[in-house]
Amino acid sequence: GQNIDQPTEMTATEGAIVQINCTYQTSGFNGLFWYQQHAGEAPTFLSYNVLDGLEEKGRFSSFLSRSKGYSYLLLKELQMKDSASYLCAVGSGGGADGLTFGKGTHLIIQP
Amino acid sequence: DTEVTQTPKHLVMGMTNKKSLKCEQHMGHRAMYWYKQKAKKPPELMFVYSYEKLSINESVPSRFSPECPNSSLLNLHLHALQPEDSALYLCASSHPSAGTTDTQYFGPGTRLTVL
């Protein structure tokens, strides 16, 4: 079976840093993805990890530990526009395989 | 062009209607996907086409019929839908990669309401 857990909701302050955690138990693993989704819009790709370690892309970083089945997304210098849902997704097969998504973390940024 | 486009943006249909959702990409991607997303839920995979062949069908009811006329186009034909099929239908595409799961890029979705 596939099980991906992430917090339902988080609140953070503009200009601060927030870390969104994701744990997974899947029948296979070929990559972990983070997407941002504003209400009523499509998911937008943020980052991808397949090997252990940290990937940094501007204000966003993502970390993976395969042995622990754990990832986090780190957002720095938070802006009001970062208020959105953040979806953790795992690809179990290689190539063109569907993603299994977690339920998403609704991030609220306060002034 | 780095976009996946979907038409229409919104669709309202009765249970006896037949309609189609369309998806197009011009990124040279060779895999395309349909996902269904209900309100406040994550996307759920419906179908995957790889090199224009249906490679994954997640036990979707036959009232949903996918079609991939060429590598740039993906359709989802709808017939005799139920009100519980109302959702955001997302199309995605990806470039083939060796070994690891492809990164998928999503279109804006079609908001479907079945009356």
Side-chain angles (χ1 to χ4, degrees), chain A:
Chain A
Q2 315 280 67
N3 189 41
I4 300 174
D5 285 320
Q6 46 183 133
T8 302
E9 187 173 287
M10 298 181 70
T11 302
T13 304
E14 192 177 12
I17 299 172
V18 71
Q19 177 175 312
I20 303 173
N21 295 325
C22 170
T23 57
Y24 64 90
Q25 292 173 302
T26 54
S27 53
F29 181 84
N30 266 297
L32 188 139
F33 301 81
W34 285 96
Y35 285 84
Q36 179 193 63
Q37 188 174 29
H38 287 97
E41 297 182 12
T44 302
F45 170 69
L46 291 177
S47 71
Y48 163 69
N49 296 72
V50 67
L51 299 176
D52 290 353
L54 188 69
E55 293 285 337
E56 297 187 79
K57 282 175 96 172
R59 294 192 298 118
F60 298 88
S61 304
S62 58
F63 172 83
L64 176 68
S65 167
R66 287 172 298 169
S67 63
K68 294 188 172 128
Y70 168 70
S71 173
Y72 67 72
L73 179 70
L74 193 71
L75 292 79
K76 303 175 189 173
E77 301 169 16
L78 287 169
Q79 302 173 8
M80 298 302 290
K81 66 179 182 179
D82 296 329
S83 292
S85 282
Y86 290 85
L87 299 163
C88 172
V90 171
S92 299
D97 190 40
L99 297 176
T100 300
F101 285 85
K103 291 190 164 81
T105 298
H106 184 212
L107 178 63
I108 300 167
I109 308 300
Q110 296 177 334

Side-chain angles (χ1 to χ4, degrees), chain B residues 1 7 28 71 83:
Chain B
D1 188 350
T7 55
S71 59

